[in-house]
Each structure stands twice: as structure tokens, then as C-alpha cells.
Amino acid sequence: QPHHRTVTLHRSSARAGIRRASLIVPMACLVAIISAWPWVTSLSWWGGSPRLLLAGEIPASFFIAIPCAVLAGVVTGQYRWRSGVAVWQKLSGRPAWTLLGRACGAAALTTVIAVGAPALILALMSTWDLASHGVGASVVVTEFLAGWPPTLIVLAEVAVGAVLGVCAGWCSGRIWMAPACLLLALAAMIATPRPPSQDVDQLWADRYGYTTCATVTGHDGTGCAPAPAKGYLPAAVTTVSQIYDQSAHPEALPRLIHLTTTGTMGGGMHPMGLEHPPDLGAAPGRGLTPPTALGSAAGDSLTYSTQAWCAGTDLLDLQKLFGVYQYVQTPTMGKTLAALQKCRG
């Protein structure tokens, strides 16, 4: 019994020593902080929607998480040189690949947890916000689960990057190996196609439709949104009401407005035709809770999407009508107003 206890304590001490020499805990903390930082700073684009985070923001930042995993893997793999294992392996009769395999497994698991844990925490926070605004339980569960496939692809790539890093660090203990591998990983990520993401607006339109609607206060207008965007609909109709209040011709402006994720950010982005109503985006006004009104980008989105929706309108005239620029009468204003009246029906 005393001998067994001595052997157990020796193994436990050896594992603790290996963990300290591999620097796996501080490297995991570094990977978690650097990976999660861009997600936190982009909260205004995905807040309140786990799908937008998991299927959009995280795949978009893969070029940060994967090089960090490679760096962590190199530092972890170099414990072979810091701890004297390289010398021990020359004297030991055990296969050399066993320790390398353990190091690869530990690095892969640790980096996946370091990237996945912040993603899970932020996804749960946005799911709670989604559920707190009257969205049905089935919609909440669907939105939480549906965004994970793109994130799981990123996590798999993180694991592969960590394993490659460990192999590089296992082969060389040179101090320049870690920054060199980091630079190579960054270059590879720049040349690598972005992991697949989801067209969330189209998926929401197909699954839920624009079935949640509210009246634009004081005007003959309605704002509609898919079920997952229900919490941001009051801010959207308030914004539309403010824009219409300040317009010189609110009676000519569109009756139906759709709330989308980002709205129409420029010309040529919105589908043409009367079957595609004008829109404005909840982003960049998203957060942990919905705002009372959306930002100034709403006027630009309404301008570009209205031009695509209603043929015969002039972009500069619409910018004046939606308050992007100060209103002044132009030679084409009469034609634009006539076209808007025709499109309104």
C-alpha cells in the first residue's frame, strides 16, 4: 500500500510538472482572450441573436483563432526541450510517439475549450436576450442550435492548428520557432477561403417569414420582422417614425418596411422589384438588450432599398426624403414622388 501511494504521488507530480513546463494553462488563457476579443467588440452586429454570432462572427474571425492555436501548440510542444524530455527519450525504451501524441491531444483539447467556452458563454447570453423578448421557445432553441455547424468547423480547424503547432515545437526548441509559425499560420489564413457562414436573412425569411409586425406611429406604415428579430421591431418602427416625421413628403414614403440583420449598405445590394419591400437593419444597433431606436444607418438603408424597390426614383432625391441630406427641391423630385406614389399603390 505505501509503495502504491508513492507511485501514485510520483505520477501526479510528473503530470503537474509537465503541465507547468508546457505552459498550457497560460497559453489557453491567451488564446481565449485574443479569440473572444473581436466577438465582444462586434456585439453591435450580433447581439440578441446566437445564430448571428455562431454562424457569422465566429467564422469571420477564424484567421485570429487558428494562428493563436498554432502558437499555443508550438509553445506546448517545446516543453520537450524545456523539461529535459528530449534527453530522457534517448535513454528510454518507450516509443517516442507516445509523449508526442499526449501533447497533441492536450493542446488540441485545451485550445478547443479556450475558443469554444467564450463562444458558448456569449451564445447563451444572446439566447437569454432572445428569449426575454417574447420569442417562442421553439424559435429560441432553433436559433441556438442552428448556428453551431459553422462554429464547429472553426473549432475543428483550431484543433488541427494546435496539433501542427505541437509537432513543430516538438521538433525544435528554438526561440524563434513560435513567432515564425505564427507568421506562417497568419499567411496561410489569409490565403485560405473563409469557412462557410449562413445567409441568416434568407434563412429567417424562408423559415419564419416577416410575420411579426407593428404600426409606424403617426403614419400610414408598418414594420415587419422575422420572429427572431422581434425584440428589435419596436426600435425599428420608432426609427422609421422619426425619419417620416422629419421628411418633407411622408405621404409618399413606403408603407411596408422590413427589418433585416444589416439592411442595405449600398447600391445594387437589394433585390429589384415591388415584391422586395424596403428595409433597414438592426445592426449596428444590436447589444445585450435592444435600443430604443436604431442608428443613423437606417436612412441610408431605406434610401438604397427603396430605389431598388421602386423603379423611376432618383437616389439623391430619396436621400433628401429620408433625411440623409437636407431637403431641397430638385428638378427630378416631382418624378421621384410620382414613382413613389405609384409604388405605394
Side-chain angles (χ1 to χ4, degrees):
Q1 185 70 26
H3 174 71
H4 177 72
R5 187 182 300 113
T6 302
V7 172
T8 303
L9 290 173
H10 174 73
R11 289 177 178 173
S12 177
S13 300
R15 292 192 189 99
I18 289 174
R19 282 196 298 270
R20 287 194 296 270
S22 65
L23 301 176
I24 198 164
V25 174
M27 291 308 300
C29 294
L30 180 65
V31 171
I33 293 171
I34 295 178
S35 298
W37 181 252
W39 310 337
V40 174
T41 56
S42 63
L43 175 64
S44 60
W45 294 90
W46 59 264
S49 173
R51 189 195 286 242
L52 288 176
L53 169 67
L54 298 170
E57 291 302 322
I58 291 178
S61 63
F62 78 104
F63 64 92
I64 297 176
I66 296 174
C68 287
V70 172
L71 176 64
V74 173
V75 174
T76 299
Q78 286 183 328
Y79 94 89
R80 175 177 183 245
W81 307 94
R82 291 191 296 269
S83 63
V85 170
V87 176
W88 174 83
Q89 283 183 313
K90 294 179 181 180
L91 305 176
S92 173
R94 295 177 61 181
W97 60 267
T98 56
L99 286 178
L100 174 59
R102 290 179 184 176
C104 288
L109 178 61
T110 303
T111 51
V112 166
I113 292 175
V115 176
L120 177 60
I121 292 171
L122 293 174
L124 289 173
M125 291 172 60
S126 58
T127 302
W128 174 84
D129 180 53
L130 186 66
S132 64
H133 290 93
V135 178
S138 61
V139 175
V140 172
V141 173
T142 298
E143 290 303 299
F144 178 76
L145 296 177
W148 277 103
T151 291
L152 292 177
I153 293 175
V154 174
L155 293 178
E157 294 174 338
V158 164
V160 172
V163 169
L164 293 176
V166 169
C167 293
W170 196 263
C171 294
S172 174
R174 302 285 185 178
I175 194 172
W176 49 262
M177 179 60 72
C181 288
L182 176 62
L183 292 176
L184 286 174
L186 285 170
M189 290 304 100
I190 293 174
T192 301
R194 172 179 168 176
S197 58
Q198 299 178 359
D199 185 351
V200 176
D201 278 326
Q202 189 60 52
L203 291 171
W204 281 355
D206 293 342
R207 184 178 181 86
Y208 308 109
Y210 290 87
T211 54
T212 304
C213 299
T215 302
V216 178
T217 304
H219 299 279
D220 180 19
T222 303
C224 294
K230 180 179 180 179
Y232 286 82
L233 186 57
V237 295
T238 297
T239 302
V240 174
S241 178
Q242 292 172 351
I243 292 174
Y244 281 27
D245 285 343
Q246 298 170 6
S247 177
H249 296 281
E251 75 286 348
L253 300 182
R255 284 196 178 97
L256 177 62
I257 305 294
H258 280 177
L259 175 63
T260 61
T261 56
T262 58
T264 302
M265 308 301 287
M269 296 179 61
H270 189 84
M272 304 288 287
L274 293 175
E275 66 274 17
H276 303 288
D279 60 34
L280 73 165
R286 288 181 171 271
L288 294 178
T289 57
T292 55
L294 303 178
S296 58
D300 288 315
S301 180
L302 288 171
T303 296
Y304 288 115
S305 59
T306 299
Q307 186 188 36
W309 167 71
C310 187
T313 54
D314 180 80
L315 179 63
L316 187 59
D317 292 339
L318 292 174
Q319 288 174 326
K320 292 177 171 59
L321 290 172
F322 285 113
V324 178
Y325 298 127
Q326 185 175 1
Y327 180 84
V328 292
Q329 190 67 29
T330 65
T332 57
M333 185 60 75
K335 179 182 176 182
T336 295
L337 292 173
L340 287 173
Q341 290 287 3
K342 182 179 178 180
C343 292
R344 277 170 59 95

